[in-house]
Structures are given as structure tokens and as C-alpha cells.
Amino acid sequence: MTEYFFDQHYNDIRYGQETLNLKEFESCTFTNCVFSDCNLMGVTFIDCQFNDCIFDHAKINHTAFRTVFFNDCQIKEVNFAMSDKLIFEMHFDHCSLDFSKFYALKLKGISFNNSSLIAVDFMATDLTGAQFYKCDLYRSEFDKANASKVDFRTSCNYTIDPTKTKLKKAQFALEGVKGLLYKHGIVVE
């Protein structure tokens, strides 16, 4: 049976491998918590906020993220592809998501602000209307993704192949155009 927690505040907790399984958290705040050892199975987060938390290498299995905000979090090498896809909504501000995976998820309107997204897998992901504000996208993969209406204007280090990624009405700064021409060997100075 699922345990339900509402409007709780959790501070400075290091969660173990199965501590959170089959639990539902609504309107909860987690601050300075460590989830790195977790294998999150069947957990639901609704209208929750994570501040200064660490999720490095956490396993995400059928976990629901429904309007969840991550602020100043370290979330390296996390595979979100096995998340519960019903009402999936997350936002990241000043986070490090290096080497994480969002493969084939619907991330319409997601926001990444001032975040490091080095070598992140966005392959086959629907990013329609997403916001990448001052993000480092070095070696992130957008193959077969839908990046229509995405705002990349303030981000850097991306290389996106327009023949393999939908970019209709996507916005880019002039400095970022070289990331669209990389595959063609064109030098832009």
C-alpha cells in the first residue's frame, strides 16, 4: 500500500536504496537531501520542490514527477526514460544534469535555466516549446527529437543536425549558428 505525505519539509536526509519506494509526496520540499543511493520504484512527487539535493546515479523506475522543481541540484547520470509519463512536468534551475537521459520523453514546455547539460540524451524527445536559458549543451544529443519552438538563444556548445531534428520556429542566437552547421564542416567566425 502506498504511503501518502502532504506538505512536509525534509532537510539534510540521506535516503537509502529502498527508503522511498511506493510513497507519494504532494507539496513537499526536500532541502540538502541525498538520493544517490536510491532505487526509486513507484514513487510519486506532485508539486514538490528539491533544493540543493544530490541525485547522482539514482535509479528512476516508474517514478512520477508531476510539476516538480529542482533548484541547485546535482543530477548526474540519471536515466529519466523509465519515469511515469502521466502528467510528467519538471523544471530545472542552476542544476547539473550531465550525462543524464531523457530519451523519448514528452518534455513540452520544460525549462532548464542556468544548468549544465553536458552529454545529455534528448534523442527522440518531444521538447516542443522548451526553454534552455544559459545552459551548456556540450555533446548533448538531439537526434530524432522535436525541438520546435525551443529557445536556444542564450545557451551554448550545442551541435544539432537540422536534418535529423525538428527545429521549426526554434530560436537561436547568431553565435550559436555554428552548432547547426557543424556536420557540414562549415567554419563560422
Side-chain angles (χ1 to χ4, degrees):
M1 180 168 202
T2 302
E3 288 184 74
Y4 180 74
F5 303 90
F6 179 75
D7 198 26
Q8 300 294 311
H9 299 279
Y10 303 94
N11 297 301
D12 303 308
I13 299 172
R14 182 177 192 98
Y15 291 99
Q17 191 169 15
E18 297 177 8
T19 314
L20 298 173
N21 290 353
L22 302 172
K23 293 183 179 168
E24 185 171 322
F25 298 90
E26 184 172 356
S27 299
C28 293
T29 302
F30 298 84
T31 304
N32 292 316
C33 294
V34 178
F35 299 86
S36 295
D37 298 325
C38 287
N39 183 0
L40 301 171
M41 176 72 81
V43 183
T44 301
F45 297 105
I46 303 168
D47 297 324
C48 289
Q49 193 164 118
F50 295 90
N51 303 309
D52 298 300
C53 293
I54 300 173
F55 284 84
D56 291 356
H57 308 283
K59 305 287 186 277
I60 308 289
N61 294 303
H62 307 290
T63 295
F65 296 97
R66 299 183 178 140
T67 316
V68 175
F69 293 85
F70 295 90
N71 303 301
D72 298 297
C73 293
Q74 189 168 300
I75 311 168
K76 293 182 180 179
E77 296 187 49
V78 174
N79 185 353
F80 289 98
M82 292 300 296
S83 298
D84 183 329
K85 290 154 184 75
L86 180 67
I87 315 172
F88 185 84
E89 183 183 345
M90 297 189 301
H91 301 278
F92 301 91
D93 190 19
H94 289 87
C95 293
S96 177
L97 291 125
D98 300 347
F99 305 101
S100 291
K101 294 173 176 48
F102 292 95
Y103 177 78
L105 289 173
K106 290 187 190 293
L107 302 177
K108 290 182 178 183
I110 192 169
S111 61
F112 296 97
N113 297 312
N114 293 292
S115 295
S116 178
L117 298 159
I118 295 171
V120 171
D121 181 352
F122 290 110
M123 290 177 56
T125 301
D126 186 350
L127 291 161
T128 303
Q131 170 76 42
F132 290 92
Y133 179 75
K134 293 186 177 180
C135 293
D136 185 351
L137 293 160
Y138 180 72
R139 292 204 176 244
S140 286
E141 182 60 56
F142 292 90
D143 193 33
K144 297 181 183 149
N146 182 352
S148 299
K149 300 179 183 175
V150 172
D151 189 346
F152 291 103
R153 290 178 295 174
T154 58
S155 291
C156 62
N157 297 326
Y158 50 80
T159 52
I160 302 171
D161 184 347
T163 64
K164 295 181 179 178
T165 305
K166 292 181 185 176
L167 293 170
K168 187 174 184 177
K169 296 189 179 182
Q171 298 175 320
F172 299 91
L174 189 56
E175 307 87 61
V177 172
K178 64 184 176 187
L180 300 173
L181 301 172
Y182 178 80
K183 138 185 181 156
H184 303 291
I186 297 171
V187 177
V188 179
E189 294 183 12

